[in-house]
């Protein structure tokens, strides 16, 4: 069984003391494909270093995270553009809108989101969307850019069934992680109404660890726990979840 973690921050300081061991643990568990989102320019070199260390397993995205859209966002977007023009990436991400931490930057976040969607189209890449407390605002931007060459993943999807269907109508897969195992996560109540062809697995490690590790550091090996939960929700084998979601990741990232 080959599992794919479509969203993991392997460069995080949380893994400073055991990064290589943690990655090897995941590989030993069958999680052999890791897709790493960008946050801002300060992590770019760490991402490249990781890819050099694990060239067969690690694939990089490039983008400016909405929480890092600050006064210098134009400089950061210029960095994103330079990297996309000079290196190989599998997606533009993570990008989007976050109104949980800071509502005052909404206009800047929208501009940065829209600009990066256009970069993804320019380079024929998927987008990886971060959306927190901002479904209406995120969909507003996506609808304005709607086209056949707009596609990607709604990372850490936490919306309702209607929002899931709207995301799918915009050529987005749903990134499902530890939230599906939470008692109050809610998405487990309707996921089986969504065809598995629209689902990919992720951890968002080191964040959002699944049960029974909720509240502790998340890591990519726990992708298997998410797959086990989905197997229960859909009434299929873990192997089928692994196979379908990995194939879905290939169709999005082209890898």
């Amino acid at each position: 069984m080959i599992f794919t973690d479509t969203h993991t921050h392997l460069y995080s300081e949380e893994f400073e003391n055991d990064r290589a061991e943690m990655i090897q643990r995941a590989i030993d568990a069958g999680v052999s494909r890791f897709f790493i989102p960008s946050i801002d320019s300060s992590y770019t070199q760490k991402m490249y270093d990781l890819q050099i260390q694990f060239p067969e397993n690690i694939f990089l995205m490039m983008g400016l995270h909405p929480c890092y859209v600050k006064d210098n966002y134009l400089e950061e977007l210029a960095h994103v553009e330079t990297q996309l023009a000079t290196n190989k990436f599998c997606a533009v991400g993570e990008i989007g809108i976050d109104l949980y931490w800071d509502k005052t930057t909404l206009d800047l976040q929208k501009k940065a989101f829209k600009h990066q969607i256009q970069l993804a189209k320019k380079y024929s890449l998927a987008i990886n969307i971060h959306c927190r407390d901002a479904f209406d605002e995120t969909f507003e931007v996506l609808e304005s850019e709607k086209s056949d060459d707009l596609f990607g993943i709604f990372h850490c999807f936490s919306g309702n069934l209607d929002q899931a269907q709207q995301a799918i109508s915009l050529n987005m897969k749903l990134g499902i992680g530890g939230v599906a195992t939470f008692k109050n996560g809610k998405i487990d109540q309707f996921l089986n109404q969504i065809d598995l062809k629209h689902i990919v697995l992720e951890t968002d490690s080191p964040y959002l660890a699944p049960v029974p590790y909720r509240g502790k550091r998340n890591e990519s090996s726990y992708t298997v726990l998410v797959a086990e939960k989905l197997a229960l929700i859909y009434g299929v084998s873990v192997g089928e979840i692994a196979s379908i979601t990995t194939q879905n990741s290939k169709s999005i990232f082209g890898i």
Side-chain angles (χ1 to χ4, degrees):
M1 283 188 285
I2 297 174
F3 296 92
T4 300
D5 186 350
T6 60
H7 198 108
T8 175
H9 299 269
L10 295 179
Y11 49 75
S12 170
E13 291 81 3
E14 297 272 345
F15 301 125
E16 211 59 58
N17 296 324
D18 65 343
R19 184 174 287 106
E21 295 88 340
M22 181 272 296
I23 293 171
Q24 191 58 53
R25 244 193 325 271
I27 293 172
D28 292 345
V31 186
S32 58
R33 291 156 50 82
F34 308 89
F35 290 83
I36 303 185
S38 174
I39 290 178
D40 70 0
S41 59
S42 68
Y43 288 96
T44 301
Q45 190 56 51
K46 287 186 176 182
M47 292 168 63
Y48 288 143
D49 292 345
L50 269 170
Q51 190 174 47
I52 290 168
Q53 194 176 356
F54 295 92
E56 301 297 315
N57 307 99
I58 285 177
F59 310 97
L60 306 181
M61 309 180 210
M62 178 48 57
L64 178 62
H65 189 296
C67 289
Y68 292 76
V69 174
K70 307 294 183 185
D71 291 341
N72 70 334
Y73 84 102
L74 291 176
E75 293 170 36
E76 286 288 337
L77 290 179
H79 174 79
V80 170
E81 290 197 53
T82 299
Q83 300 308 307
L84 289 172
T86 54
N87 293 285
K88 183 175 173 59
F89 295 93
C90 63
V92 176
E94 62 188 280
I95 63 176
I97 300 177
D98 188 309
L99 299 181
Y100 177 82
W101 294 108
D102 189 353
K103 294 180 174 65
T104 66
T105 59
L106 175 58
D107 287 344
L108 299 184
Q109 288 188 48
K110 282 184 177 179
K111 289 175 182 175
F113 187 23
K114 194 176 184 74
H115 181 70
Q116 292 180 99
I117 289 173
Q118 291 166 356
L119 287 176
K121 290 178 179 179
K122 177 180 177 180
Y123 290 99
S124 301
L125 293 173
I127 61 172
N128 188 279
I129 300 171
H130 174 107
C131 171
R132 190 169 185 189
D133 288 0
F135 274 104
D136 290 345
E137 293 81 2
T138 299
F139 281 131
E140 176 191 331
V141 174
L142 289 174
E143 290 286 356
S144 73
E145 289 291 331
K146 185 176 181 178
S147 61
D148 291 340
D149 55 354
L150 173 64
F151 64 101
I153 294 173
F154 230 102
H155 148 61
C156 194
F157 183 79
S158 58
N160 58 35
L161 179 58
D162 288 343
Q163 289 163 335
Q165 290 169 336
Q166 187 172 359
I168 290 165
S169 75
L170 290 160
N171 296 329
M172 299 297 149
K173 306 288 189 201
L174 306 182
I176 303 300
V179 173
T181 71
F182 297 172
K183 282 185 178 178
N184 60 349
K186 297 181 181 176
I187 60 172
D188 59 315
Q189 297 170 17
F190 65 81
L191 262 187
N192 63 358
Q193 297 178 57
I194 303 290
D195 195 299
L196 269 171
K197 69 183 180 182
H198 302 302
I199 303 293
V200 293
L201 302 180
E202 62 167 63
T203 59
D204 198 21
S205 60
Y207 317 107
L208 294 172
V211 173
Y213 300 105
R214 186 176 184 182
K216 298 178 181 177
R217 187 188 77 169
N218 200 2
E219 58 180 72
S220 285
S221 63
Y222 298 164
T223 305
V224 179
L225 297 174
V226 179
E228 290 172 351
K229 177 65 175 183
L230 290 190
L232 289 173
I233 290 172
Y234 283 94
V236 299
S237 69
V238 174
E240 190 169 344
I241 296 292
S243 175
I244 293 173
T245 55
T246 287
Q247 187 56 48
N248 293 344
S249 76
K250 291 178 181 179
S251 72
I252 288 291
F253 294 125
I255 297 170

